[in-house]
Amino acid sequence: MDCIFCKIVHKEIPLENIAYEDDDVVVFKDHKPSAPVHYLSVPKEHIQSIMHLEENHKAIISKIIFAAKKVAKDLELKGYKLVFNVGREGGQVIDHLHLHLLGGWTKQEEIDHLPN
Ligand code: AMP
Ligand code: ZN
């Protein structure tokens, strides 16, 4: 399967900006940031999208949220947005599930504007 995020999480493509990694999850910097701080929390298992979740994926969804929370804490973010784009009509471009961690804004009008 030709999936760019599978290649990234399995290190077939070199990646410098890894903020967190364990056996199940990688959190890395988005290469076209939509916010001053923009990371993607990605399961190593290929799951297409939230629409494709099954009962046995409950643990991995929890893990990508906790990984994003840890990175946000390490970066000392005082607030942030966690976003899933779901399906083409939901703005999803990469068909490997990922949680956007967005933050680092300083002005209210930037905070109110949800990227993507
Ligand atoms: P989505 O629209 O939710 O599918 O978001 C996909 C995100 O992945 C976008 O914000 C892209 O900028 C980001 N992205 C795509 N390819 C890469 C890559 N090779 N490295 C880092 N981020 C990427
Ligand atoms: Zn994949």
Side-chain angles (χ1 to χ4, degrees), residues 40-59:
L40 302 168
S41 187
V42 182
K44 289 187 176 175
E45 178 183 351
H46 182 90
I47 304 165
Q48 188 171 330
S49 79
I50 289 286
M51 271 190 254
H52 296 78
L53 281 184
E54 295 177 9
E55 285 293 312
N56 62 340
H57 292 133
K58 281 181 178 168

Side-chain angles (χ1 to χ4, degrees), residues 4-5 8 13 15 28-34 38 40 83-86 88 90-96 98 100 116:
I4 176 105
F5 280 9
I8 287 176
I13 296 175
L15 193 65
F28 54 90
K29 247 185 194 161
D30 195 295
H31 70 171
K32 285 184 190 153
S34 305
H38 190 174
L40 302 168
V83 177
F84 287 108
N85 293 330
V86 186
R88 289 290 172 274
Q92 185 175 1
V93 175
I94 305 277
D95 287 334
H96 180 129
H98 49 280
H100 293 260
N116 292 326

Side-chain angles (χ1 to χ4, degrees), residues 13-26:
I13 296 175
L15 193 65
E16 286 169 14
N17 294 307
I18 296 178
Y20 175 82
E21 179 169 12
D22 63 26
D23 289 346
D24 304 306
V25 181
V26 183

